[in-house]
Amino acid sequence: MNRTPVIVVHGGAWKIPEEEHGPHVEGCQRAAAAGWEVLRAGGSALDAVETAVRLLEDDPTFDAGRGSCLNAIGEVELDAIIMDGQTLRLGAVAAVRRIRNPVTLARLIMEKGPHNFLVDSGAEEFARQHGMGLIPSEELVVERERARWEAWRAGEGLYAAELFNSTGTVGAVALDREGHLAAATSTGGKPGKWPGRVGDSPLVGCGAYADDRSAAASATGDGEALMRILATGAVCARVGAGKSPQEAAEEVLALLAERTGGYGGLIVLDPRGRYGIAHTTPHMAWAVVTPDGTCRAGIRVR
Ligand code: ASP
């Protein structure tokens, strides 16, 4: 099969403060362009989503990698997943604290096996034994998040309680020249979360899913709600059954609201290169590079 490549990325669906719109758009645009460059040069969808998500993890604007929100005890704990639509292989990590790029550790787990999903110190030990450097946890903490957390602790902020309170989970879906799909999602989770809390993001069929026979999808938003409806599995199944990616994304978010009262955002891409972007939050940061190489990015408003 010879497809023209497509990549779609997101930088979270929440109430993005006005002053953070610019950095969100630029970050998504940079990530999508880098992922597209991989595809253009003949690289795989897996390489493209990993490249895009690594850039978003390194960008302190987003709630993934460095710059992530802090949990209840003031620490960063990271979750991520990557999935290959050709083989249905996947790798996932949760609650890691000393990993700069959780998406790359997820890929390492996928490739080296024998397991799919490692958490906490076991995941970090796996990283270490496979030559991935561990970093001091504090290197992931940025001043903005420390200040938000301190205000919350002092009872001044709504860090944990406010609706749409996440700070920019990231994700990417891609279609390569061979016609293969891949998806990846990475997050610091919800601000003020309980230590050890794992959301939807690293769970297969919840935070991400990819199957060449249906679609690739990445989710963001209220993790406790998203995991209850297997959000990305549900959206891919709908595309497999004949819905367009946009229709399927809107339907699943409507189902999310109806069945759980939760909110979120989805990006979806099918093997024909058709994509959908939908959200039920005030904002969603996104970028897409279409087959002709045009990169578009923005903040969707609802
Ligand atoms: N879904 C993420 C979580 O619940 C947060 C987000 O996407 O904003 O951990």
Side-chain angles (χ1 to χ4, degrees), residues 33-90:
W36 198 83
E37 207 35 54
V38 170
L39 296 169
R40 196 192 55 78
S44 69
L46 264 181
D47 284 339
V49 295
E50 184 192 350
T51 298
V53 168
R54 278 180 68 99
L55 276 179
L56 292 161
E57 287 175 340
D58 289 341
D59 185 335
T61 304
F62 300 98
D63 181 24
R66 185 165 172 273
S68 286
C69 64
L70 309 190
N71 66 10
I73 58 169
E75 291 178 351
V76 165
E77 280 189 352
L78 304 173
D79 307 334
I81 183 171
I82 190 163
M83 185 162 181
D84 177 4
Q86 181 186 9
T87 60
L88 302 184
R89 290 203 305 158
L90 70 101

Side-chain angles (χ1 to χ4, degrees), residues 12-13 63 79 166-169 187-190 197 199-201 219-224 226:
D63 181 24
D79 307 334
S166 308
T167 44
T169 291
T187 190
K190 282 182 176 176
R197 176 266 188 189
D200 64 306
S201 305
T220 175
D222 181 358
E224 274 64 21
L226 287 160

Side-chain angles (χ1 to χ4, degrees), residues 5-6 27 36 43 56 97 103 143 190-191 205 208 223 226 244 255 279 294:
V6 179
W36 198 83
L56 292 161
R97 279 170 293 219
V103 72
E143 194 39 47
K190 282 182 176 176
L226 287 160
S244 75
L255 180 73
H279 61 117
T294 314

Side-chain angles (χ1 to χ4, degrees), residues 47-198:
D47 284 339
V49 295
E50 184 192 350
T51 298
V53 168
R54 278 180 68 99
L55 276 179
L56 292 161
E57 287 175 340
D58 289 341
D59 185 335
T61 304
F62 300 98
D63 181 24
R66 185 165 172 273
S68 286
C69 64
L70 309 190
N71 66 10
I73 58 169
E75 291 178 351
V76 165
E77 280 189 352
L78 304 173
D79 307 334
I81 183 171
I82 190 163
M83 185 162 181
D84 177 4
Q86 181 186 9
T87 60
L88 302 184
R89 290 203 305 158
L90 70 101
V93 290
V96 291
R97 279 170 293 219
R98 295 183 295 159
I99 302 293
R100 185 175 296 283
N101 292 109
V103 72
T104 295
L105 176 53
R107 175 125 187 226
L108 196 67
I109 291 166
M110 179 181 99
E111 269 160 13
K112 302 287 178 199
H115 305 301
N116 288 351
F117 196 162
L118 296 176
V119 306
D120 199 348
S121 52
E124 293 180 354
E125 180 57 20
F126 186 93
R128 202 186 58 75
Q129 286 194 16
H130 287 85
M132 183 181 286
L134 300 182
I135 58 164
S137 193
E138 304 75 57
E139 282 188 19
L140 298 169
V141 179
V142 298
E143 194 39 47
R144 177 197 68 226
E145 293 304 319
R146 176 65 66 199
R148 279 181 180 162
W149 181 80
E150 272 163 9
W152 169 64
R153 292 280 288 186
E156 292 157 13
L158 295 170
Y159 202 42
E162 197 182 8
L163 193 59
F164 312 128
N165 67 347
S166 308
T167 44
T169 291
V170 305
V173 289
L175 171 69
D176 63 30
R177 283 192 195 287
E178 306 289 312
H180 300 307
L181 291 167
T185 302
S186 182
T187 190
K190 282 182 176 176
K193 66 186 181 182
W194 193 274
R197 176 266 188 189
V198 177

